[in-house]
Amino acid sequence: VQLQASGGGSVQAGGSLRLSCVASSRIFSSAVMGWFRQAPGKEREFVGNIRWGTQRTYYADSVKGRFTISRDGAMNAVLQMNNLKPEDTAVYYCARALEFTTVPSQYINWGQGTLVTVSS
């Protein structure tokens, strides 16, 4: 499965962005789609994930209440980001796993990343 992330851009603090992750083939219900981010000089950080079939979601504390992950059709995972803060600035990646996990190494497929810049 190939993943293509898009939707990044530059916004001011308090603004919103919607990221999309489109898969090259149908995402099975047992799969987990995750979002991660990596700021310059920092390690890759878990943002949130969704179990495709049940639509169960889980979020990092840093984004809880501001970010929402959802499905848009059979092949698109969406990350809706509201009330963005400068500390949300990072390259955002989508990934696919078979387990409901926050650990990057357990994700099998990765998208190429899309840059989000939030200015104060």
Side-chain angles (χ1 to χ4, degrees):
V1 175
Q2 294 183 331
L3 304 175
Q4 180 77 31
S6 63
S10 297
V11 296
Q12 291 191 328
S16 298
L17 280 175
R18 182 179 185 269
L19 305 186
S20 289
C21 176
V22 179
S24 58
S25 59
R26 176 177 167 265
I27 301 171
F28 290 98
S29 60
S30 59
V32 175
M33 298 300 293
W35 286 94
F36 293 79
R37 65 186 181 186
Q38 189 165 18
K42 294 189 176 181
E43 293 187 354
R44 193 164 295 190
E45 174 189 24
F46 172 79
V47 173
N49 59 10
I50 183 169
R51 172 76 75 178
W52 206 244
T54 63
Q55 301 188 52
R56 173 192 175 192
T57 56
Y58 180 75
Y59 301 96
D61 287 343
S62 58
V63 306
K64 201 171 295 183
R66 300 187 298 122
F67 290 11
T68 303
I69 297 174
S70 62
R71 292 177 48 167
D72 182 8
M75 296 163 57
N76 187 16
V78 173
L79 176 63
Q80 177 66 43
M81 305 185 295
N82 298 326
N83 190 21
L84 283 161
K85 304 176 180 180
E87 52 263 42
D88 294 319
T89 295
V91 176
Y92 283 71
Y93 299 88
C94 62
R96 184 183 73 97
L98 300 180
E99 301 292 334
F100 200 72
T101 178
T102 65
V103 180
S105 62
Q106 295 183 337
Y107 283 76
I108 302 166
N109 308 104
W110 289 83
Q112 84 288 3
T114 184
L115 177 63
V116 171
T117 304
V118 184
S119 57
S120 57

